[in-house]
Every structure is written in structure tokens, then in C-alpha cells.
Amino acid sequence: MKKLLFILLLTFLSGSVKSQSYQTKEVIGKAESYLKLAVGDELFKYFELDPNSDYEYKTRLGRKNWRSINRGSKTKGDFVNGKNIRFILKHPEFPHPTTVTVPLTSDLSLESKINLERIPDFLMEGRESDWLGVEQIDSIINKQNLKVAKEKPRRYLEYDVKEKKYYWAVVNTLKEEKCSSDVEILNINPKSGEILKHTEETLFVLHCY
């Protein structure tokens, strides 16, 4: 019986030694260093940690949970990964907050290449913006003779994941009901101002009763 208890105690101590926790500032610092290498010192200055970033850890009972990286000075339990360590790009030449994830492994190595697809080329290359200004985009919209609606058309920047390109999406709501809306949609190339799409569609609200 004593031998069994000794083995169990040894197993527990061995597991405790193997478990890994870090100072949260160490985790954040590692992620920042990888991001800086990927985007360069100049562009890195415009990134800030996403306050909703978290990491996965394992408890002594083997259960896995998630915890905010900003909560506490030290990570909790056995650090499993930091796949949700994210940074937000806020650049004056690109006033559309973009999130970049820096995925970390249990030993704080970089799990995979950082995806920088959503950062415009002119920022990555450190040159002036070659995008049309918001005023120019609005001017293009006004020239399309959109149908008269009760409210002003909504304009926002969208990213086409398949094409890996940005475009301005303009939605002009013509008629709105409980479960559907008749809209006029306009998509515009942010660089050339080319009209990529101009159609009328009916949008339906999912699970509407």
C-alpha cells in the first residue's frame, strides 16, 4: 500500500514538474517579437494587443479551459497554446482596424506562419497609400444614381476571402420588412473606383418567425 502511495505521489510530482506556466508579459512579449519580425519595426508600431486575446490551459484534473491573456500576472495551469493571441492594426493611412493572429505553441514557439493577407500592400511595403480616399469613394457612389430610399446608403469595407481583396460595399435599403429587405448593392474597387457589382437583391433574416 505504501509503495502504491509512493508511486502515485511520484507521478503527481512528475506531472507538476512537467507542467508549464509563464509570466503573461513573457507570452505577450514572444508574440510581439514574432509579429515585429513579420511586419517590420515601422509597421509594428501601429499594432496593439487585442484585449480579448486568450490562451488555452490544462488543469490538474486534465480539463482544458481558456483564460484572458490580460488576466493575472502569470498563466494558469499547464499552458497548452496561445492560438488566440491577436493584435489589432490601427494605421492612419488605413483607418479600418484589422486583426492579426500570432499562434503560439506550448513552448511559445510560432505554430505557423502569421497570416498577413488583410494588410494592404502599401503598408507592408512602407509606401504611401494608393487607395482612393473616402471622399472620392462617396463621389463615385453619388454618380451611380442609386434609387431613392428613406435612409442614406450604408458604406463599409469588406474583404473577399476567396479573392483575397478588399472592396467597398454599399447597401441601399429600398424596402424593409420583418423577415426580409429589398436592397440595392454596389461594390467598388478601393484602388481604381471600378464598379464591381451593382444589383438589386432580397435579403432574408435567418430563423425569423
Side-chain angles (χ1 to χ4, degrees):
M1 184 66 181
K2 289 183 178 180
K3 186 176 181 180
L4 179 60
L5 290 173
F6 176 75
I7 293 174
L8 290 174
L9 178 61
L10 188 63
T11 302
F12 173 77
L13 290 175
S14 176
S16 299
V17 171
K18 289 181 180 179
S19 67
Q20 181 69 63
S21 62
Y22 302 97
Q23 295 293 320
T24 54
K25 64 180 180 181
E26 181 182 1
V27 178
I28 296 171
K30 271 289 186 180
E32 289 178 336
S33 67
Y34 292 128
L35 181 59
K36 185 181 291 187
L37 283 173
V39 303
D41 293 349
E42 184 61 31
L43 185 56
F44 175 75
K45 294 187 295 186
Y46 298 98
F47 282 91
E48 60 182 50
L49 180 69
D50 183 341
N52 295 315
S53 294
D54 54 24
Y55 61 92
E56 186 179 12
Y57 71 93
K58 186 167 60 177
T59 67
R60 289 184 177 180
L61 296 177
R63 296 175 180 172
K64 292 184 178 181
N65 291 313
W66 293 91
R67 186 181 179 90
S68 171
I69 192 62
N70 284 320
R71 187 176 176 185
S73 60
K74 194 174 183 180
T75 60
K76 189 175 182 179
D78 186 0
F79 189 91
V80 177
N81 68 69
K83 292 182 179 179
N84 286 334
I85 305 299
R86 300 178 297 271
F87 294 86
I88 303 173
L89 171 63
K90 295 182 178 180
H91 196 285
E93 292 294 319
F94 186 67
H96 313 285
T98 302
T99 302
V100 173
T101 300
V102 182
L104 301 178
T105 63
S106 60
D107 63 355
L108 303 188
S109 298
L110 191 61
E111 182 181 69
S112 58
K113 185 177 180 181
I114 301 174
N115 188 336
L116 303 174
E117 289 178 355
R118 298 191 180 218
I119 301 179
D121 291 342
F122 69 86
L123 289 182
M124 290 297 297
E125 296 167 8
R127 52 185 173 80
E128 291 186 4
S129 173
D130 53 359
W131 284 34
L132 297 175
V134 174
E135 297 79 8
Q136 292 171 296
I137 294 296
D138 285 341
S139 177
I140 292 172
I141 294 172
N142 293 333
K143 293 177 182 178
Q144 302 311 307
N145 296 318
L146 297 181
K147 293 187 175 181
V148 178
K150 291 183 178 179
E151 298 181 357
K152 185 178 179 181
R154 291 180 287 115
R155 164 181 46 75
Y156 49 92
L157 194 64
E158 281 281 2
Y159 183 76
D160 187 321
V161 178
K162 185 177 180 180
E163 295 293 330
K164 299 182 180 180
K165 293 180 180 179
Y166 280 102
Y167 64 90
W168 282 106
V170 181
V171 178
N172 189 31
T173 303
L174 306 175
K175 181 181 179 182
E176 192 168 17
E177 298 183 351
K178 180 182 178 182
C179 295
S180 66
S181 298
D182 292 337
V183 299
E184 186 176 13
I185 295 178
L186 187 68
N187 291 347
I188 306 172
N189 184 302
K191 292 184 179 181
S192 66
E194 176 190 357
I195 304 301
L196 305 174
K197 177 181 180 180
H198 189 176
T199 61
E200 288 187 34
E201 301 177 15
T202 298
L203 304 180
F204 296 93
V205 178
L206 294 176
H207 310 297
C208 183
Y209 302 99

